[in-house]
Amino acid sequence: MAVENVLAYLSHHKKRFIPKKLMKLVKSEYKQSEEQYSRFFSLSIDLLCIANFDGYFKYLNPVWTKTLGWSVQELVAKPFIEFIHPEDRESTIAAAQKITQSVDAISFENRYLCRDGSYKWLSWNATGFSEEKLIYAVARDITLNKENEIALQKSIQELEAFRFALNTHSLVAITDKAGRISYVNDLFCKVSKYSPEELLGQDHRIINSGYHTKEFFANLWKTIAQGKIWKGEIQNKAKDGTFYWVDTLIAPMLGQDGKPYQYVAIRTDITQRKLSELALLERSRLSVLSAEVSLALSQSGTLPEILQNCTNTISQYLDIGFVCIWTFERQTNQLQLQAGVHCTDITCSALRDTQDFPDHMVLVNNIIGLMIQNHQAIFNEELSINNSDQLVNSTFSISRFSAYPLIVEQQLIGIIALFSKQLFTEATHNLLNWIANNIAVAIDRIWAREELFSRREALLLRLASQIRSSLDLDMILETAVNEIRSLLQIDRCYFLCYLPHPSEPRLTITYEARNPNLPTMLGSIPLQKSNFLTKILLSQELSCIDNINSKSHLDYDIQELLTEFGITSQLMLPVKSNSGEIGAIVCSHCSGDRIWSNSEISLLQAVCDQLAIAIDHAQLYTQSRSATLIAQTQAEKLTEILHKLQQTQSQLIQNEKMSSLGQLVAGVAHEINNPVNFIHGNLTYANEYFQEMLTLLHLYQQHYPQPQAEIADFAEKIDLEFITDDLSKLLSSMNMGTNRIREIVLGLRNFSRHDEADKKLVNIHEGIENTLLILHHRWKDNGIGLDISIVKKYGDLPLVDCYPGQLNQVFMNILTNAIDALEESMVNRKITEKPQIIIITEIVDRKFVVIRIADNGLGMAEDVKKRLFDPFFTTKQVGKGTGLGLSISYQIVVEKHGGILNCLSEPGKGTEFWIQIPI
């Protein structure tokens, strides 16, 4: 700017003394200087500017446009203060005033508006020249650094605030990867009541309360060791022994290898909240417990069942080791266990008897005497059990013992005792007192009900016995009125009978039991006094009068009748039989009011039902006598029909037998027997003849060693040596064959046993073997059979007195069915194992022989097994079975031999028939 001033000065005075050459030289220098300054402005990376003291820009380099987006014209057209952020204008104006008043450079920062509406931070270094009233300034874009600085300051402020809040409200601890404490804050020490010196270097077991399980901490360490954050609530123990709860977050700090090298634990003291929650939870649990116990006591069942439900409920809602209820036996006054539950950490189970907890019984016996004297509860008594290892699944040797007396009308009737590891609260104590009172009332109520039921059952049993043993209605009614009066302890009980005479119905008292001091009421009731009673009887209504003086609606005549006999209260229950007979049981009292309870009314209703049955039985007995003759006639007809059915059944049995054996036995045994005997008998002679001819041949060979050529050729042709050797074998095999045929024929004869229709002593095994022989072609693998394996497990059986032919028929039917079942299974390829039939014989109780025949076929369904022995029931195809085989077998075993025939079978597990007959 010095050159410019010089030029201005010279221009002002040129007319006076400046030569043109000099003026030209100065202008040239000025132009060269201006070009240099312009190059400096345009190449600078900083924002360069010249501004007037009036607040407008005068010169700006191109970086302004590049940085802020405004054109130079837009920037110089307005005061530069309008581009400054409103929050920075005041400080910028103050800085501008300092610049105009000082010769030194001024540094400051502010935010400039960009064309897109954003702001950028600029760092200024400016100098003012008062004589020129100009400001020369250099600005640099520090937006990125400023934002980082602001973010860092904000983070520091937030961290400081977080640290302050954390130390104020949280318990902070840092441990190494082994769990040793390396840092604790003041609040941690304040809550745990340990000093930092006592905590540093220790692990967290120093504050372990023992409340949580080993699995709980194992899961915690597993989580954080994997680099994961663990959250949860933990109960810790302070130095003074008190407990406190903390909501805990443990965050692992990971190293470059991704593994934790230390852990930061942040805890919030939630003891008060936890105590409130526990108190609320306890109140809720106790409320549910009281409701559940009330429900258990209201259920029906025996006393041990109801009390066991109570102990089960208590064990579900209270943390106990044992809970037991004893009652005093009413006759011997001995303590008797009624119900109990023993609990471990895993499960709870019912106690069977006092042997389950011998040491606890010692404790209970020690406190019984004290409780009997003062009837006071025992609450949270600390007890040490010496032999804790002998307890059933014992989990602790020191327990808290609480016991509550069960009292009814100042009398101790039982005790409820509880063993717990932890102290019961006062609320629990109050609830257990309430439960004990309710259990005592329930026990008394059950005992009273059982006594009433026993008396009621005794009366009903006697009446029912009378009805069963006698049809004498007079005796039954006489017994009823006497028993009712004795049971209810009333003055009078009588039976009122309604006689529906066509012209004049009557009411008559026919049976009576009364106090000897009272007059009798037997006989007819006067007509004028019976209208009210007749109306009640005919309507079948119950009449209950607790006090005749309080019943204003009573008929005058009936009130007069009751007063005449001194009756003050009365209960009448109508009795109506199915035969139409109408009567009533009437109970009356003559010594003041009598409240008739529901149990008494229920008892009398049951008695009336029994009397109605007795009346019906008497009527039926009379009717049955008149119908006897008709029944006998019908019985004769039925006998005749039964005889015909038996004949038909015998024919069916014979047909079934002949269908399976008749042709086989008659044809084979008869037709084969004679020719086989002929052949077998001649084989002996044939063999003798052959031996003699063979001897003759050997003699010829010995004496004529050189036979004629024709003889030698023929001998060689027929292979004489082979014939002589083989002919002996041929005769031997023929003999064996005929013997086999004779055995088969003999087996058929033994099986059919036509000549043995009566009972006789036989060998059961022979019958089985003969049956298998007949069925040999079906089960043996001879090119035709199924190759069934027959497994015989014969026992040592004596001779059995039976019908051998019929019993063989049973074996035939069962074995045939077994072979059919195996054949079907093999054809359909439903079994993969080798088919097999197992035959087992044995003696049972020295009185019976049991034959079991089992196969490994497909078995049968339950609906088939139920109908197995029904006549004409079969599962075989049409033409393959008549459905009579097993029906006849059942008849032979059960009816003929007095034995048992059962079938055991399940689908896929084969079938077994069980034949049991007396020896």
Side-chain angles (χ1 to χ4, degrees):
M1 295 306 300
V3 175
E4 184 181 358
N5 292 336
V6 170
L7 290 176
Y9 176 81
L10 293 176
S11 177
H12 180 71
H13 298 285
K14 63 181 179 179
K15 293 182 179 180
R16 284 188 286 174
F17 59 86
I18 297 177
K20 289 182 179 181
K21 287 184 179 181
L22 180 60
M23 190 67 179
K24 199 173 186 177
L25 178 62
V26 171
K27 286 182 178 182
S28 176
E29 290 180 357
Y30 171 75
K31 186 176 181 180
Q32 185 177 1
S33 176
E34 187 176 39
E35 289 177 356
Q36 291 176 350
Y37 280 113
S38 176
R39 191 180 300 115
F40 172 75
F41 262 51
S42 61
L43 293 179
S44 176
I45 60 174
D46 292 325
L47 287 80
L48 306 178
C49 68
I50 301 174
N52 295 317
F53 280 5
D54 59 5
Y56 284 86
F57 287 115
K58 186 173 183 181
Y59 294 104
L60 296 169
N61 69 339
V63 179
W64 281 83
T65 299
K66 182 178 180 181
T67 302
L68 301 180
W70 300 105
S71 64
V72 175
Q73 292 76 13
E74 289 173 326
L75 289 171
V76 301
K78 298 179 182 179
F80 57 77
I81 199 66
E82 292 187 12
F83 294 95
I84 298 173
H85 193 282
E87 295 178 0
D88 299 338
R89 287 178 182 176
E90 184 176 351
S91 60
T92 302
I93 292 173
Q97 290 177 351
K98 289 182 180 180
I99 293 172
T100 57
Q101 297 172 2
S102 174
V103 295
D104 297 327
I106 302 299
S107 299
F108 62 95
E109 297 175 353
N110 59 14
R111 285 166 287 182
Y112 255 69
L113 178 67
C114 298
R115 189 176 183 83
D116 59 5
S118 61
Y119 285 90
K120 288 192 176 181
W121 280 93
L122 300 180
S123 177
W124 293 90
N125 196 329
T127 304
F129 292 90
S130 56
E131 64 275 8
E132 299 177 8
K133 294 184 178 182
L134 293 176
I135 298 173
Y136 296 86
V138 178
R140 177 164 292 180
D141 183 2
I142 60 170
T143 302
L144 182 59
N145 294 337
K146 197 67 176 180
E147 288 177 349
N148 292 336
E149 180 184 347
I150 292 173
L152 180 60
Q153 290 179 351
K154 184 178 180 182
S155 298
I156 293 173
Q157 292 175 353
E158 291 176 350
L159 287 174
E160 287 295 327
F162 177 73
R163 178 183 178 187
F164 176 78
L166 200 61
N167 286 324
T168 303
H169 301 287
S170 299
L171 292 74
V172 182
I174 300 176
T175 67
D176 59 17
K177 63 180 180 181
R180 289 185 295 271
I181 300 173
S182 58
Y183 168 80
V184 289
N185 67 346
D186 295 338
L187 188 58
F188 190 105
C189 298
K190 179 180 178 182
V191 174
S192 68
K193 297 181 175 57
Y194 285 99
S195 65
E197 293 75 17
E198 291 174 315
L199 292 172
L200 295 178
Q202 299 287 338
D203 58 28
H204 279 81
R205 281 179 289 189
I206 192 174
I207 56 172
N208 187 359
S209 65
Y211 178 82
H212 303 282
T213 63
K214 293 181 179 179
E215 292 75 12
F216 176 86
F217 289 107
N219 179 62
L220 183 155
W221 274 102
K222 181 180 178 181
T223 301
I224 62 177
Q226 294 175 351
K228 300 177 182 178
I229 294 176
W230 183 90
K231 296 180 180 179
E233 296 179 352
I234 301 178
Q235 185 193 69
N236 289 331
K237 185 177 181 181
K239 184 178 180 180
D240 61 358
T242 59
F243 297 98
Y244 62 95
W245 282 88
V246 286
D247 189 2
T248 304
L249 181 147
I250 302 178
M253 308 300 290
L254 305 181
Q256 293 182 353
D257 58 355
K259 296 182 179 179
Y261 64 91
Q262 68 178 12
Y263 302 102
V264 178
I266 302 172
R267 300 174 175 87
T268 303
D269 188 355
I270 58 171
T271 304
Q272 293 302 320
R273 190 202 81 191
K274 200 69 178 180
L275 293 177
S276 299
E277 289 179 357
L278 293 175
L280 181 62
L281 181 62
E282 182 184 24
R283 287 196 297 271
S284 174
R285 186 177 69 253
L286 295 180
S287 299
V288 176
L289 173 59
S290 63
E292 292 286 345
V293 169
S294 299
L295 179 62
L297 293 175
S298 65
Q299 300 296 318
S300 60
T302 64
L303 180 62
E305 291 173 346
I306 293 174
L307 296 184
Q308 188 63 51
N309 289 337
C310 291
T311 56
N312 291 341
T313 303
I314 293 173
S315 67
Q316 291 175 8
Y317 292 95
L318 296 182
D319 184 14
I320 60 170
F322 285 88
V323 56
C324 306
I325 299 177
W326 291 271
T327 59
F328 287 102
E329 208 279 325
R330 285 176 285 182
Q331 280 74 31
T332 63
N333 208 33
Q334 294 293 322
L335 201 63
Q336 181 181 9
L337 177 68
Q338 292 290 350
V341 172
H342 166 241
C343 293
T344 64
D345 292 336
I346 301 174
T347 183
C348 292
S349 58
L351 294 174
R352 298 184 301 275
D353 51 42
T354 55
Q355 298 303 318
D356 283 349
F357 50 105
D359 291 333
H360 291 78
M361 275 304 299
V362 174
L363 297 172
V364 172
N365 290 329
N366 290 337
I367 57 93
I368 286 176
L370 179 63
M371 186 168 288
I372 291 175
Q373 293 177 6
N374 56 26
H375 290 188
Q376 297 296 319
I378 297 175
F379 182 52
N380 284 337
E381 187 77 21
E382 183 174 308
L383 298 173
S384 296
I385 302 173
N386 296 328
N387 300 322
S388 61
D389 56 334
Q390 298 177 2
L391 297 180
V392 178
N393 297 327
S394 178
T395 56
F396 51 89
S397 59
I398 298 179
S399 64
R400 301 288 177 172
F401 176 74
S402 300
Y404 300 86
L406 306 178
I407 301 173
V408 174
E409 297 179 356
Q410 305 303 317
Q411 182 181 0
L412 184 68
I413 65 170
I415 296 172
I416 177 172
L418 304 96
F419 295 82
S420 62
K421 186 176 181 181
Q422 296 183 347
L423 294 174
F424 284 147
T425 63
E426 190 67 27
T428 303
H429 173 59
N430 295 332
L431 178 63
L432 289 173
N433 258 322
W434 177 86
I435 289 175
N437 293 332
N438 280 269
I439 289 177
V441 172
I443 292 173
D444 185 62
R445 184 180 69 247
I446 292 171
W447 281 350
R449 185 177 63 195
E450 289 177 350
E451 183 177 359
L452 178 62
F453 280 172
S454 63
R455 295 166 62 193
R456 169 182 172 177
E457 292 299 325
L459 174 58
L460 293 179
L461 182 60
R462 286 194 293 272
L463 288 175
S465 178
Q466 286 281 358
I467 293 171
R468 288 193 300 268
S469 62
S470 172
L471 293 174
D472 187 352
L473 188 58
D474 294 336
M475 184 182 295
I476 294 171
L477 293 175
E478 186 72 31
T479 303
V481 294
N482 281 285
E483 293 287 354
I484 292 172
R485 178 178 177 271
S486 175
L487 177 63
L488 300 184
Q489 296 295 305
I490 55 179
D491 294 329
R492 190 192 306 267
C493 178
Y494 57 88
F495 184 76
L496 183 63
C497 181
Y498 174 71
L499 303 176
H501 195 275
S503 60
E504 190 177 326
R506 289 185 302 162
L507 286 179
T508 302
I509 299 175
T510 55
Y511 305 95
E512 180 187 47
R514 60 184 171 83
N515 190 318
N517 298 325
L518 297 176
T520 181
M521 293 182 66
L522 291 173
S524 298
I525 298 177
L527 293 176
Q528 68 274 14
K529 297 181 180 180
S530 63
N531 292 331
F532 181 78
L533 294 176
T534 303
K535 180 181 178 182
I536 294 177
L537 283 177
L538 294 177
S539 62
Q540 293 292 293
E541 296 179 1
L542 182 147
S543 174
C544 182
I545 303 172
D546 297 332
N547 190 328
I548 62 171
N549 297 321
S550 64
K551 294 288 185 178
S552 58
H553 65 281
L554 275 179
D555 184 87
Y556 174 78
D557 294 329
I558 188 63
Q559 192 168 16
E560 183 181 0
L561 175 66
L562 298 178
T563 304
E564 178 182 348
F565 290 96
I567 297 173
T568 57
S569 62
Q570 179 172 280
L571 175 65
M572 184 175 76
L573 291 93
V575 178
K576 183 177 181 181
S577 66
N578 293 329
S579 61
E581 298 290 332
I582 299 176
I585 288 290
V586 183
C587 301
S588 59
H589 211 58
C590 302
S591 54
D593 296 352
R594 173 63 188 258
I595 306 299
W596 305 99
S597 66
N598 291 332
S599 60
E600 292 173 333
I601 294 174
S602 175
L603 169 61
L604 292 177
Q605 285 175 335
V607 172
C608 291
D609 292 339
Q610 292 289 337
L611 292 177
I613 295 172
I615 295 172
D616 287 336
H617 283 190
Q619 293 291 335
L620 289 173
Y621 177 69
T622 302
Q623 294 173 5
S624 64
R625 293 185 61 187
S626 64
T628 301
L629 183 60
I630 299 173
Q632 289 176 348
T633 304
Q634 291 177 344
E636 291 176 358
K637 294 181 180 180
L638 290 173
T639 301
E640 184 179 355
I641 295 172
L642 179 61
H643 180 68
K644 292 180 179 179
L645 288 174
Q646 288 176 342
Q647 288 181 339
T648 304
Q649 187 180 33
S650 299
Q651 292 175 359
L652 289 173
I653 293 173
Q654 186 62 27
N655 290 338
E656 175 66 20
K657 181 176 180 181
M658 291 305 298
S659 65
S660 59
L661 300 177
Q663 294 179 358
L664 181 63
V665 173
V668 175
H670 179 72
E671 297 296 336
I672 295 179
N673 191 45
N674 289 335
V676 167
N677 286 338
F678 176 78
I679 296 171
H680 183 75
N682 289 331
L683 281 175
T684 302
Y685 300 107
N687 188 49
E688 292 178 0
Y689 297 159
F690 166 70
Q691 293 299 332
E692 292 175 354
M693 293 179 66
L694 187 61
T695 302
L696 178 61
L697 180 60
H698 287 162
L699 289 174
Y700 268 105
Q701 289 177 344
Q702 181 178 355
H703 295 288
Y704 299 99
Q706 298 297 326
Q708 295 294 326
E710 183 178 359
I711 296 174
D713 292 341
F714 184 76
E716 184 178 359
K717 180 180 179 181
I718 64 174
D719 196 355
L720 180 61
E721 184 178 356
F722 170 76
I723 289 177
T724 55
D725 181 62
D726 191 56
L727 185 56
S728 178
K729 296 178 182 179
L730 182 63
L731 291 173
S732 177
S733 65
M734 291 173 65
N735 188 58
M736 291 175 59
T738 55
N739 281 329
R740 177 62 178 159
I741 295 174
R742 292 181 67 195
E743 289 176 0
I744 294 174
V745 172
L746 180 61
L748 292 175
R749 179 178 174 276
N750 291 336
F751 177 81
S752 62
R753 293 184 183 265
H754 286 294
D755 55 342
E756 298 176 1
D758 296 330
K759 271 190 173 184
K760 63 178 297 185
L761 294 174
V762 297
N763 187 338
I764 295 293
H765 294 156
E766 287 184 1
I768 296 174
E769 292 295 331
N770 290 331
T771 306
L772 290 173
L773 181 63
I774 293 172
L775 296 174
H776 186 274
H777 68 287
R778 293 205 59 194
W779 60 266
K780 190 63 176 177
D781 185 15
N782 54 5
I784 302 175
L786 303 174
D787 191 19
I788 298 173
S789 175
I790 304 294
V791 179
K792 304 172 187 176
K793 298 181 181 179
Y794 291 163
D796 187 10
L797 302 185
L799 298 179
V800 179
D801 188 17
C802 64
Y803 297 97
Q806 295 181 10
L807 203 57
N808 288 346
Q809 188 176 359
V810 174
F811 298 153
M812 171 69 78
N813 289 332
I814 293 176
L815 287 169
T816 301
N817 284 344
I819 294 171
D820 290 342
L822 292 173
E823 182 179 18
E824 180 184 355
S825 302
M826 295 176 64
V827 170
N828 297 328
R829 296 185 178 180
K830 294 182 179 179
I831 61 173
T832 57
E833 55 187 5
K834 180 178 177 60
Q836 178 178 269
I837 296 176
I838 302 176
I839 304 174
I840 303 173
T841 62
E842 58 187 343
I843 298 177
V844 177
D845 296 335
R846 299 183 180 179
K847 297 180 180 180
F848 301 95
V849 169
V850 172
I851 303 100
R852 293 157 53 191
I853 301 175
D855 64 69
N856 61 342
L858 296 178
M860 61 185 74
E862 186 66 26
D863 56 341
V864 174
K865 191 169 66 173
K866 288 180 179 179
R867 302 183 57 194
L868 198 59
F869 301 113
D870 292 349
F872 305 107
F873 174 75
T874 180
T875 59
K876 299 177 182 178
Q877 298 179 0
V878 178
K880 287 194 174 182
T882 62
L884 291 173
L886 290 179
S887 175
I888 293 172
S889 299
Y890 185 85
Q891 189 178 42
I892 291 172
V893 174
V894 177
E895 297 181 10
K896 289 284 188 178
H897 291 84
I900 298 173
L901 177 59
N902 280 336
C903 176
L904 307 175
S905 181
E906 292 183 27
K909 295 185 179 180
T911 302
E912 177 179 321
F913 281 90
W914 174 293
I915 306 167
Q916 177 176 311
I917 58 175
I919 295 176

